[in-house]
Amino acid sequence: MASITAISLYDTPARTLRSVLQIEELPASVSNVKCVVPLVMTDDLASCSFQVEPYDMVSTLVGWRFSGENERGNSLDFAYDPADLTQFKVDYIYRADKDQFGPAGGHVIVVIDKDRRNALVDLYIE
């Protein structure tokens, strides 16, 4: 995987989101994309919030192997740096299976609201 941090410094929020989700194209209904990419030289860190039509939510989750479960909380609690991201009540969380990150480790999580319209994705790769 190319460095998300290096790419994101010069990219649009939509391209950053696409890179974090590891998908070639965002569904047409994706909107209000906001990303925060802290400048960290040794790790890849990125958090993005976005809105999507519920029927397109599954299309955003095809780039990683995820396991899902019910979760409660505030979306900003799941972001490395919540500045400027959209806040909503979380109803569900998807976690990328750990074997996708190599020996150094990392995580990709996607939290969504009950209506499956709001999402926040947080990426950390060591």
Side-chain angles (χ1 to χ4, degrees), residues 5 12 17 30 33 37 39 42 53 55 60 82 86 88 96 100 104-105 115 118 125:
T5 304
T12 65
L17 177 60
V30 169
V33 179
V37 183
L39 182 57
T42 59
E53 289 298 323
Y55 57 82
T60 67
T86 302
F88 57 88
Q100 299 173 88
D115 296 328
N118 292 289
I125 298 178

Side-chain angles (χ1 to χ4, degrees), residues 7-77:
I7 292 169
S8 298
L9 288 174
Y10 305 103
D11 256 338
T12 65
R15 284 185 181 184
T16 300
L17 177 60
R18 214 177 69 222
S19 181
V20 168
L21 291 172
Q22 290 194 5
I23 57 177
E24 291 198 26
E25 287 195 37
L26 293 175
S29 70
V30 169
S31 64
N32 198 26
V33 179
K34 301 175 185 175
C35 293
V36 177
V37 183
L39 182 57
V40 178
M41 301 310 268
T42 59
D43 302 325
D44 286 334
L45 302 170
S47 297
C48 297
S49 60
F50 62 98
Q51 294 175 322
V52 63
E53 289 298 323
Y55 57 82
D56 277 336
M57 183 63 78
V58 70
S59 298
T60 67
L61 302 172
V62 298
W64 297 91
R65 279 189 331 275
F66 284 104
S67 300
E69 62 190 57
N70 290 328
E71 181 71 50
R72 296 287 184 258
N74 181 313
S75 61
L76 301 183
D77 294 338

